[in-house]
Amino acid sequence: MILEKLTVGTFQENCYILGDEASGTGVLVDPGDEAVRIALAVEQTGLEIEKILLTHAHIDHVGAVAALIDEYGCPVLAHRESEQLLEQLPTQALMMGLRFGKVPELDGYIEDEEELEVGNLTLRALYTPGHAPGHLAFYLESEGVLLSGDALFAGSVGRTDLPGGDAGQLMRSIRERLLVLPDTTVVHPGHGPQTTIGNERSYNPFLQQGGGIL
Ligand SMILES: [Zn+2]
Ligand SMILES: [Zn+2]
């Protein structure tokens, strides 16, 4: 497996290049900004990008999608509930004093529990809303790897004060869909450093017994 993290843009978002060495195929997860830098990193891996996957459609996770579709001509996939967020991107950007530019369109939807093939690797989509509508995490069981998007971070959880956010729903998503994975699962979040499920179960202050902070 090839797994490379690039931290991009003003929001320091983690874009992941994930691929299967044997077949030479790969995917991009959340290309949020700095399309040229991402494309260069892809070139260095030698992978052929066959799809772009989105954990969710917040501006910091999708900023480089349009440019990279031009580069790879590949489909962009996300949960259907991400569509409404995509449509709001230009307005969202303006509110932050930014200009979004071309809004990418989804070529297909990813369902909860859907299995996505990346060469010989299989990614399983885990529907984990709460931080954003239609949020997905991607689980690579064979490698013990989870791409957690903005649901779960090292020592923290996603914010729930943005449109469509829901604190109770986020805690349910984390407890019922993510903390049930093996403790040794390595978690690669949408921001910040990697961690493990076991670490977060034991030490994440938002997930402690009775921890109803959110
Ligand atoms: Zn987000
Ligand atoms: Zn984010």
Side-chain angles (χ1 to χ4, degrees):
M1 173 189 68
I2 294 172
L3 179 61
E4 255 188 58
K5 172 173 93 171
L6 281 99
T7 305
V8 296
T10 349
F11 299 96
Q12 293 287 285
E13 185 265 345
N14 294 332
C15 163
Y16 293 96
I17 302 169
L18 173 71
D20 168 39
E21 277 159 309
S23 64
T25 52
V27 293
L28 287 175
V29 179
D30 289 355
D33 204 347
E34 302 189 53
V36 173
R37 201 179 130 215
I38 293 172
L40 178 64
V42 166
E43 209 163 303
Q44 284 161 350
T45 64
L47 290 170
E48 190 126 343
I49 296 299
E50 58 173 27
K51 36 191 178 250
I52 294 173
L53 308 178
L54 305 178
T55 60
H56 65 299
H58 278 155
I59 191 165
D60 53 326
H61 294 251
V62 301
V65 170
L68 290 163
I69 297 172
D70 282 350
E71 179 84 24
Y72 301 115
C74 66
V76 183
L77 310 174
H79 192 273
R80 73 175 66 234
E81 289 167 12
S82 284
E83 205 132 67
Q84 63 190 79
L85 276 182
L86 279 176
E87 287 159 13
Q88 293 160 10
L89 279 174
T91 328
Q92 226 189 68
L94 271 178
M95 280 163 57
M96 293 186 280
L98 303 169
R99 188 180 167 276
F100 187 76
K102 192 175 164 196
V103 176
E105 275 176 35
L106 296 182
D107 299 289
Y109 299 129
I110 305 171
E111 308 289 335
D112 185 23
E113 292 289 340
E114 184 169 336
E115 304 209 317
L116 303 150
E117 309 288 321
V118 185
N120 298 313
L121 301 171
T122 305
L123 275 177
R124 182 146 53 91
L126 304 176
Y127 179 61
T128 40
H131 166 72
H135 187 285
L136 296 170
F138 297 108
Y139 181 44
L140 252 165
E141 190 170 8
S142 65
E143 313 289 322
V145 160
L146 175 77
L147 304 183
S148 64
D150 284 3
L152 178 64
F153 302 121
S156 188
V157 299
R159 59 190 286 187
T160 54
D161 58 332
L162 297 170
D166 181 324
Q169 196 180 41
L170 178 66
M171 294 316 280
R172 276 196 302 282
S173 290
I174 294 173
R175 285 184 204 285
E176 292 170 14
R177 307 306 304 280
L178 304 183
L179 293 189
V180 294
L181 301 176
D183 275 354
T184 51
T185 308
V186 180
V187 179
H188 297 273
H191 300 270
Q194 68 179 60
T195 180
T196 63
I197 288 291
N199 247 313
E200 296 315 303
R201 189 202 313 285
S202 306
Y203 304 116
N204 189 313
F206 294 91
L207 305 175
Q208 296 315 299
Q209 202 64 26
I213 301 168
L214 284 179

